[in-house]
Amino acid sequence: MRLLRVGDRGGEKPAVLADDGRLLDLGGLLEGRDLDGSFFASDGISRIRTAVAEGALPELDGDGLRIGAPIARPGKVVCIGLNYRDHAEESGAQPPAEPVVFMKASNTVVGPFDEVLIPRASTKTDWEAELAVIIGRTARYLESHEAALDCIVGYAISNDVSEREFQLERGGQWDKGKSCETFNPLGPWLVTADEISDPQRLGLRLWVNGQPRQDGDTKNMIFEVVEIVRYLSWFMVLDPGDVINTGTPAGVGLGGYPYLREGDVMELEIDGLGRQRQTVGQA
C-alpha cells in the first residue's frame, strides 16, 4: 500500500492511494488519529489493508491538495553517513568499519514538494537522495536481520539536505549542518514493506535544474538496511514512527558540483517509491 497525508501544512488528512489510482480517505478509520508511531504500533496497517479490501473507505478528491510528509512528525530522524563507497570516496573519507550515525531534528521533515530553504549565511547547501526506513514496532537489542526486518513498516524517499560548511568546517558534530528548517523532504508516500521485495535492489536518482547529479543503487550500500536497523537497536531504542535515512550515493555538491542557490530545482526518485520535486528558497 501507499500511505500519504494531504492538505495544508499542519492540517494534513491521512489517505491511501489505491492500486487503481483513487485516493481513499482514512479519516473515519483512524477516528481523528494520524499516520504516526502509535497508529503503526497498534497494527494500524492491517486495519487499513482490511478496509481497502472490503471497499469500506470513501474516495477523497485530491485535486489541488498539497502532499505532506507521509507520517506525522517522527520522534527522531536517525541518519547513516558515508554508507556508499563512491560517496565516501568523493568526500575524501575511508569507508567506515561501522555505521556512521548522526541525528537530524525531527522538525526538518517536510512534504516532498515543499520549498527547501537555504539557511542564512549558508554558501554550501547540498542535496542527498536517500532511502528512508520507517519503523513500525519497537526495536531494542535486536539479535538478527530477520528481527530487524520485522520492525520495518515501510519505505519512502528522503532528501537529506545538508549544509557542508556548518557540518564539516564549523567544529562539533554533523547535526548542525543537517538540522536546518526544511532539510528533510519526505515522501510522496510511505510504501509498506510488503511491497518492496528487496530494499537492496532500488535505483535512486537526483537532478538539479534538470541536470543529472546522482544515479546510484541501494545494492551498493556498505551496510544494508536490515543491518542498520539491527545495529542501531543496540545503541538506542527505535520507536514506531522513527525515520532512518540510510545514506546517499556519489554525486553531491561536496563532490564537486555547484552548491544550491535560490531558485534551483531538485528532483529525485527511487524505484517503486515515487518522485519528489523541491524549489530552493532563502531563509
Side-chain angles (χ1 to χ4, degrees):
M1 293 188 300
R2 291 170 289 178
L3 306 180
L4 66 162
R5 299 166 64 248
V6 296
D8 295 337
R9 191 189 302 262
E12 294 92 344
K13 297 179 179 180
V16 58
L17 188 62
D19 291 341
D20 60 8
R22 291 180 302 131
L23 190 64
L24 304 178
D25 190 350
L26 290 174
L29 180 68
L30 270 64
E31 298 178 336
R33 299 167 67 186
D34 209 337
L35 293 173
D36 58 16
S38 63
F39 181 73
F40 298 140
S42 63
D43 202 25
I45 295 295
S46 293
R47 286 189 282 138
I48 294 175
R49 185 170 287 113
T50 298
V52 171
E54 294 176 349
L57 299 174
E59 192 167 346
L60 179 64
D61 184 3
D63 286 348
L65 288 181
R66 165 185 171 270
I67 299 178
I71 61 171
R73 180 170 169 172
K76 55 183 173 289
V77 180
V78 189
C79 306
I80 306 299
L82 304 174
N83 197 30
Y84 289 72
R85 286 180 175 81
D86 56 359
H87 176 55
E89 181 179 352
E90 73 175 350
S91 302
Q94 292 294 320
E98 294 193 33
V100 175
V101 180
F102 63 94
M103 310 287 282
K104 295 188 79 141
S106 60
N107 62 358
T108 59
V109 174
V110 295
F113 305 103
D114 288 348
E115 184 180 43
V116 166
L117 298 176
I118 294 176
R120 297 177 187 180
S122 166
T123 60
K124 296 181 179 180
T125 296
D126 205 348
W127 57 85
E128 293 189 15
E130 305 201 10
L131 173 66
V133 173
I134 294 87
I135 298 298
R137 62 179 61 186
T138 302
R140 177 189 288 110
Y141 296 116
L142 300 176
E143 295 282 358
S144 68
H145 288 170
E146 291 75 17
L149 188 62
D150 195 44
C151 291
I152 298 172
V153 71
Y155 304 93
I157 304 172
S158 181
N159 189 353
D160 176 18
V161 184
S162 310
E163 212 297 337
R164 300 303 189 186
E165 181 186 358
F166 299 176
Q167 176 190 356
L168 301 172
E169 301 174 31
R170 298 287 297 272
Q173 298 187 3
W174 287 9
D175 301 34
K176 63 188 179 185
K178 297 284 189 171
S179 291
C180 304
E181 60 180 328
T182 74
F183 264 28
N184 204 139
L186 187 70
W189 38 69
L190 180 159
V191 177
T192 52
D194 60 299
E195 298 284 341
I196 303 299
S197 60
D198 186 352
Q200 304 307 147
R201 292 292 184 271
L202 301 175
L204 60 169
R205 294 160 289 277
L206 182 143
W207 298 260
V208 177
N209 300 327
Q211 299 299 310
R213 292 291 181 258
Q214 294 185 279
D215 186 1
D217 196 293
T218 58
K219 68 182 180 182
N220 296 321
M221 285 184 181
I222 298 172
F223 305 102
E224 296 187 347
V225 165
V226 287
E227 172 58 14
I228 290 169
V229 174
R230 187 210 63 80
Y231 179 90
L232 289 174
S233 77
W234 283 78
F235 295 93
M236 65 186 77
V237 176
L238 299 173
D239 294 316
D242 285 351
V243 174
I244 303 172
N245 290 339
T246 58
T248 198
V252 299
L254 181 64
Y257 290 113
Y259 288 110
L260 294 168
R261 295 291 181 265
E262 185 176 7
D264 285 348
V265 175
M266 293 179 284
E267 297 172 275
L268 51 158
E269 65 182 15
I270 297 180
D271 294 345
L273 299 182
R275 190 177 178 96
Q276 296 185 357
R277 184 182 190 275
Q278 299 103 33
T279 299
V280 177
Q282 182 65 53

